[in-house]
Amino acid sequence: MPDRRVLQSHAAPGAGGAENEGVFTGRVHRTRMDVLARYEPLVDDFEAFRAACERPLPSVVRVNTIKTTVERAREALDESGIGVEACWHDELLALPDAQPGRNWPYVHGWLHGQEEVSAVPAAVLDPAPGDRVWDACAAPGSKTTQLAALMDDRGTLVATDNNLGRISALRSNAERLGVTNVAITHEDARNHSLKPFAADGATEDVEYDAALVDVPCSCEGTVRKNPDTLDEWTLSHVEGIAGVQKGILRRAVQATRPGGTVVYSTCTFAPEENEAVLDHVLGEEPCEVVLLDLPLAHAPGVTEWDGESYDPAVANAKRIYPHHNDTGGFFCAKIEVTGA
Amino acid sequence: MTDGSAPSGDGAAGNRSHRFDRLPATTEDRRVPDRPTRTGVLEWWDERFGVDPSVFENHTFWERGSGKIWAFAGESPSPVDIEGLGVAFLRTRREHWKPTLEAVQRFGGHATRNVMALSRAEAAAFLAGEDQERDWDGDWGYLVVAHELAGEREPLGVGLYVHGELRSQVPKGRRRDFRED
Ligand SMILES: C[S@@+](CC[C@H](N)C(=O)[O-])C[C@H]1O[C@@H](n2cnc3c(N)ncnc32)[C@H](O)[C@@H]1O
C-alpha cells in the first residue's frame, strides 16, 4: 500500500505523535498505551503501531454510486476547489484539507464520510442487486448505505439496530443518500425475526442470501479518531460484549441460507472479541471461515491468545493494524454457511 | 409488480402512525377512504414533472401516518410495523401534493417540466433557506429546483413558486450556508 498520507498529512507541524501527546492528559495517555500494550505479542512492529495510534486520521469520504459516479464526484469536488487523494478502493477519496460535509456534492448525497477500513466489510460481502441482505448492527448506516449501493439499490436490505437514537441517524443517512431498498427494524439482533419480511403470501420464513455482522465492540481500533475511547476499557467489558457478539453472529448464521455468506467485523484488536467469537460460532453452527481477498496490508487472524487456542480456520480472518495502511484498526472475517 | 390489492394491506383500522400500508393500485382496490393510490401517485409525477411512470417500476408506495407516502424498492408484506421503509417520498394530506427533498434529489433528474434551474449563487441562497424574487413562466406551486454540478443539471430540492417568488422548502436540518464561498 502507498502510504502517501503518512508523509503528506501527518508530517505537518502539530500533527505528529510527539506534539499530539500534549493534547491529552498524561493519565489518559498512559491508560491508552497500557491497554494497547497487551497486544505487543501480536503486532509485527509495535513501535510503528504505537506511533500510528497516536496520529489523527485524515477525513475520507465514500462516493455514493446510487446518486452519482466516481468521476462526477471527483469533478464536483474539483469544481469546489477541494483536493482529493486516492485510497485502497476507487470509491473512497481522502480529503486532506477539507471538512467532508461542507461542499455541494455532499449536499446532493453524493458523498458519505466513512473511514477507509470501515468500507472493508461491505466490499468483502459484495452483495448482488436483487439479493436479500441483513445488516444486523446497522446504525448509523455507513455500511448499510454501502451495501445498498453495491446492490444497486435493488433487492431487500433489512437494517437492524437496538438503539432508537442511532436508528434515527441511520434513517437520515439512508435518506440523504437516496437509499430506497432498506427496511429498518428496531430489535435485539440476537432475537431477529424473519417474519416481517417474508414476501407477500410466503408461508415460510425466507432466509437471507448474505448478512453483515458489524458488532458493537470495545472500539480499540478507533483511538486515532476518538483518543479517549480507551479511558473506560476493562477486561470484563470486553468479555461481556463478546457474549453479545457471539449471540448476534450465531443468529446471523442461522438466518442465512446454506451457501450464503456472513461477514463479521469489529473495530477492535482484542482476540476475545474477534477470533474467540469466530471459534465459538464454528463450534455451534454449520459454517466455515473462508479466505478473503483484501487489497490492504494486514495480518492473519491469531490462533492462540492468553493460553487459549482457536480453530486454525480463524487464521483466514484479517487483522488490519493502524500502521499497516495508515488507517484505523479493524478485524474482518468471511464466513460461509454450510448446513441447513 | 404487486400492489396494494393484498387483502391484509388495507384493513378497517385505517392509518396507524407506526405502520406502513402499501398503497392500493387503484381506487377500486381501495379500502381506506381517501388513501392515495399507486396510479394516482404515478399520474401526479407524470403530470406535474413529466416523470415517466416506468421510472418507478421497481418501487412500491406506502403510507405511514396520514398522507405521508414512502417509496420502497424491496419486498415486504403489508401492513408492516417497522422504523423505516425506503425513503419518505411525497406528502398528500393537503390539496397540493408536495414531494420531499429526498424524492426530488433521487428521482428529479427524470423531470422534464416544472424544473427551475438556478445559478450557483442562487442555489446557495436557496440551500440557505432564503426566498428569492424570480421570473418564471411555468406553473405555480411546487417545483424541482436544480443547478449545474459537474457538468450536468442536478436536482437540489423543492421550491414553492408563488407571487413572483421562489420559496425555499429545504428542511431546517438540510440547510447549509455556502453564500460566502
Ligand atoms: C459498530 S456499530 C455499527 C456501525 C454500523 N454498521 C455502520 O457502519 O455505520 C454497532 C451497533 O450495534 C448496535 N447494537 C448493540 N447491541 C445490539 C444488539 N444486541 N442488537 C442489535 N444492535 C445492537 C449499536 O447500537 C450500534 O449502533
Side-chain angles (χ1 to χ4, degrees):
Chain A
M1 268 312 288
D3 54 353
R4 72 273 166 232
R5 275 175 285 113
V6 175
L7 295 170
Q8 293 182 10
S9 316
H10 302 304
E19 285 94 334
N20 221 27
E21 282 173 30
V23 176
F24 313 113
T25 69
R27 187 190 60 79
V28 170
H29 177 70
R30 261 198 311 279
T31 308
R32 179 162 47 131
M33 282 326 297
D34 283 349
V35 172
L36 296 176
R38 86 194 274 265
Y39 305 119
E40 192 159 355
L42 302 181
V43 179
D44 51 345
D45 179 348
F46 193 71
E47 267 320 298
F49 168 80
R50 188 195 152 102
C53 287
E54 289 174 3
R55 288 195 299 264
L57 276 176
S59 44
V60 172
V61 294
R62 178 174 53 80
V63 176
N64 174 29
T65 56
I66 293 174
K67 282 188 161 177
T68 192
T69 60
V70 173
E71 296 73 56
R72 290 193 70 208
R74 280 177 162 270
E75 195 180 327
L77 285 165
D78 190 52
E79 275 174 14
S80 308
I82 296 175
V84 305
E85 290 165 12
C87 297
W88 69 274
H89 193 292
D90 265 7
E91 288 163 13
L92 299 173
L93 304 171
L95 311 181
D97 315 303
Q99 286 178 32
R102 257 197 75 80
N103 56 68
W104 284 106
Y106 183 87
V107 160
H108 282 270
W110 289 11
L111 305 176
H112 179 70
Q114 184 171 0
E115 227 244 279
E116 274 186 87
V117 282
S118 155
V120 167
V124 169
L125 192 63
D126 196 22
D131 278 357
R132 287 178 70 80
V133 180
W134 184 37
D135 188 351
C137 303
S142 293
K143 300 175 193 79
T144 314
T145 54
Q146 186 185 0
L147 290 168
L150 287 163
M151 295 164 77
D152 207 9
D153 199 24
R154 286 187 282 146
T156 303
L157 175 55
V158 177
T160 296
D161 206 278
N162 73 343
N163 179 321
L164 272 180
R166 291 177 63 99
I167 282 179
S168 91
L170 163 64
R171 217 193 280 133
S172 82
N173 280 321
E175 294 220 321
R176 192 177 56 81
L177 300 180
V179 174
T180 67
N181 74 342
V182 68
I184 300 174
T185 73
H186 176 219
E187 293 170 279
D188 184 326
R190 289 173 288 188
N191 308 318
H192 175 59
S193 162
L194 297 172
K195 283 260 151 35
F197 292 101
D200 254 354
T203 48
E204 280 172 49
D205 295 344
V206 186
E207 296 178 320
Y208 295 102
D209 298 305
L212 178 63
V213 184
D214 185 46
V215 286
C217 70
S218 59
C219 296
E220 295 160 354
T222 66
V223 279
R224 298 182 64 179
K225 202 166 65 183
N226 310 307
D228 48 8
T229 298
L230 300 177
D231 288 7
E232 318 255 291
W233 190 97
T234 63
L235 186 57
S236 70
H237 175 251
V238 166
E239 285 162 350
I241 205 150
V244 176
Q245 293 160 344
K246 288 171 185 167
I248 298 175
L249 182 56
R250 282 192 68 175
R251 184 68 196 119
V253 171
Q254 293 161 0
T256 301
R257 67 170 168 80
T261 305
V262 176
V263 167
Y264 179 78
S265 59
T266 73
C267 52
T268 209
F269 307 117
E272 292 88 342
E273 300 178 57
N274 292 326
E275 290 87 350
V277 172
L278 299 177
D279 179 73
H280 172 81
V281 174
L282 281 171
E284 301 289 333
E285 302 291 339
C287 62
E288 288 170 3
V289 178
V290 298
L291 268 175
L292 62 96
D293 275 337
L294 185 64
L296 275 169
H298 59 265
V302 300
T303 52
E304 280 177 26
W305 171 249
D306 202 22
E308 306 264 332
S309 59
Y310 307 129
D311 188 309
V314 306
N316 288 339
K318 309 288 193 195
R319 298 187 145 252
I320 302 172
Y321 293 116
H323 60 296
H324 282 159
N325 313 278
D326 193 27
T327 62
F330 212 73
F331 179 86
C332 186
K334 184 176 181 181
I335 296 164
E336 239 157 63
V337 179
T338 51
Chain B
M1 172 126 303
T2 59
D3 210 346
S5 48
S8 60
D10 231 323
N15 292 309
R16 277 201 284 123
S17 69
H18 264 280
R19 194 176 94 170
F20 289 86
D21 286 273
R22 196 187 287 122
L23 296 193
T26 64
T27 46
E28 275 97 82
D29 304 313
R30 178 158 74 185
R31 253 154 280 176
V32 174
D34 299 330
R35 175 163 285 164
T37 63
R38 176 177 180 82
T39 309
V41 168
L42 294 175
E43 281 171 3
W44 185 84
W45 280 90
D46 194 3
E47 278 163 24
R48 179 85 203 156
F49 296 119
V51 177
D52 194 90
S54 66
V55 167
F56 302 110
E57 68 189 6
N58 290 318
H59 291 89
T60 48
F61 302 125
W62 302 71
E63 185 173 38
R64 179 195 220 188
S66 170
K68 291 181 191 147
I69 309 301
W70 296 54
F72 180 51
E75 277 187 358
S76 168
S78 176
V80 63
D81 191 349
I82 47 173
E83 299 300 318
L85 204 61
V87 293
F89 179 68
L90 187 65
R91 295 292 183 95
T92 60
R93 205 146 69 112
R94 311 237 170 141
E95 183 192 344
H96 296 289
W97 288 8
K98 180 182 183 181
T100 63
L101 176 144
E102 285 76 20
V104 158
Q105 285 198 352
R106 178 76 166 74
F107 301 106
H110 298 279
T112 53
R113 260 200 296 285
N114 289 323
V115 181
M116 185 184 277
L118 301 184
S119 69
R120 187 51 63 91
E122 290 164 340
F126 172 82
L127 182 65
E130 230 181 70
D131 300 335
Q132 15 192 341
E133 297 204 349
R134 281 207 43 130
D135 289 332
W136 169 246
D137 51 18
D139 296 339
W140 283 28
Y142 293 117
L143 307 180
V144 171
V145 171
H147 70 144
E148 196 171 295
L149 186 64
E152 282 173 43
R153 190 184 79 183
E154 200 59 34
L156 176 59
V158 179
L160 175 63
Y161 189 82
V162 279
H163 303 297
E165 192 178 57
L166 175 68
R167 298 190 182 157
S168 172
Q169 306 292 301
V170 177
K172 285 221 170 63
R174 298 290 297 269
R175 290 183 193 163
R176 293 286 179 280
D177 195 349
F178 293 170
R179 286 173 295 188
E180 298 300 303
D181 297 10

